[in-house]
């Protein structure tokens, strides 16, 4: 158990819909990272938040957005969903000192 | 961040040492070598990291060559539960400010009974 929690575990929805994925970081971690893992693209970095502020952006689509709240939990919002958005979405939290990332169990999104 | 090259797959007998190589010939002086692994569809798991000295923890050992152009992750006594994709990642350490991980394709280690 990494200490990072993600909800929901599974999500099935239809094309065109909007979903919200939630992540709670480990106690004391200020950074939250979001990654997408699809069969054809592997693990890809999407976006990072550090203490409530966006810090780095990767290959995140404009239809996707994220935020980190004052209690440090984060949400990833995916809108206008397409079949190709079906993937595993992982959240990770980071320690400022040791600079390692601890990953949550992921949310499996299926878009039908 | 420097690019890494890993073999796509390796086999190892249970109880034997697993030695996973990684080439990173373009590594810069301030870049660390990190290893993560991902057991089927689970979240990636941090294993170990190092700058230039060899490192050991309860999970594995990391051997970095003197010129730092390659490294080897050693699992001293592999078990079936070590079957996973192992990712070698080279990255500068910014102290948590912006430390995204860029994953390659990794090495699928299959531990055989």
């Amino acid at each position: 158990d990494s200490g990072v929690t993600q909800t929901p575990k599974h999500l099935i929805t239809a094309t065109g819909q909007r979903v919200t994925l939630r992540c709670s970081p480990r106690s004391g971690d200020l950074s939250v990272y979001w990654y997408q893992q699809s069969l054809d693209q592997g693990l890809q970095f999407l976006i990072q938040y550090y203490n409530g502020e966006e810090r780095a952006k990767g290959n995140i689509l404009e239809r996707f957005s994220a935020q980190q709240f004052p209690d440090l939990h984060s949400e990833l919002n995916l809108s206008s969903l397409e079949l190709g958005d079906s993937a595993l979405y992982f959240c990770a939290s980071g320690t400022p000192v040791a600079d390692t990332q601890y990953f949550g169990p992921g949310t499996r999104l299926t878009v039908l | 961040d420097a690019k890494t090259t890993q073999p796509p797959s390796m086999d190892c007998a249970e109880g034997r040492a697993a030695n996973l190589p990684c080439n990173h010939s373009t590594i810069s002086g301030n870049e660390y070598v990190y290893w993560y692994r991902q057991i089927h569809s689970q979240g990636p798991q941090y294993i170990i990291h190092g700058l230039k000295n060899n490192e050991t923890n309860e999970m594995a050992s990391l051997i970095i060559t003197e010129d730092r152009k390659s490294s080897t992750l050693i699992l001293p006594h592999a078990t079936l539960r070590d079957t996973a994709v192992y990712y070698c990642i080279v990255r500068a350490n910014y102290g948590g400010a912006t430390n995204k991980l860029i994953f390659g394709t990794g090495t699928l280690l299959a531990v055989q009974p």
Side-chain angles (χ1 to χ4, degrees), chain A residues 6-106:
Chain A
Q6 289 187 249
T7 56
K9 191 171 182 179
H10 300 279
L11 198 48
I12 301 174
T13 188
T15 55
Q17 295 298 305
R18 172 188 172 94
V19 297
T20 297
L21 312 183
R22 182 188 169 101
C23 168
S24 293
R26 295 188 335 150
S27 176
D29 287 355
L30 300 179
S31 278
V32 169
Y33 305 79
W34 286 97
Y35 295 84
Q36 177 193 56
Q37 186 172 33
S38 58
L39 283 175
D40 57 345
Q41 293 290 325
L43 264 164
Q44 290 205 310
F45 167 74
L46 294 178
I47 196 165
Q48 177 203 358
Y49 278 81
Y50 181 78
N51 202 20
E53 294 186 1
E54 182 185 303
R55 188 58 65 99
K57 241 178 181 177
N59 299 321
I60 187 166
L61 300 172
E62 286 191 9
R63 301 183 285 108
F64 296 1
S65 64
Q67 54 185 329
Q68 186 179 26
F69 294 88
D71 66 352
L72 299 177
H73 91 271
S74 178
E75 293 181 355
L76 180 66
N77 301 295
L78 315 177
S79 61
S80 303
L81 286 167
E82 302 176 358
L83 295 177
D85 297 327
S86 295
L88 273 166
Y89 291 84
F90 292 105
C91 161
S93 72
T95 63
V97 176
D99 191 39
T100 55
Q101 291 183 30
Y102 296 87
F103 284 76

Side-chain angles (χ1 to χ4, degrees), chain B residues 18-92:
Chain B
N19 296 282
L20 293 95
C22 179
N23 286 322
H24 31 80
S25 59
T26 61
I27 192 170
S28 300
N30 66 339
E31 289 181 319
Y32 288 69
V33 180
Y34 286 79
W35 284 84
Y36 283 76
R37 73 179 182 183
Q38 185 177 25
I39 298 168
H40 180 63
S41 293
Q42 297 181 20
Q45 178 187 24
Y46 165 79
I47 302 173
I48 199 168
H49 75 284
L51 183 62
K52 53 184 175 181
N53 298 320
N54 298 336
E55 302 287 345
T56 295
N57 63 20
E58 65 279 3
M59 289 184 68
S61 295
L62 174 60
I63 308 298
I64 303 174
T65 58
E66 192 169 343
D67 64 6
R68 303 211 318 125
K69 293 185 176 181
S70 65
S71 60
T72 301
L73 178 74
I74 301 172
L75 307 179
H77 305 286
T79 71
L80 298 178
R81 287 177 295 181
D82 292 321
T83 292
V85 177
Y86 288 76
Y87 296 98
C88 169
I89 300 167
V90 170
R91 192 195 70 191

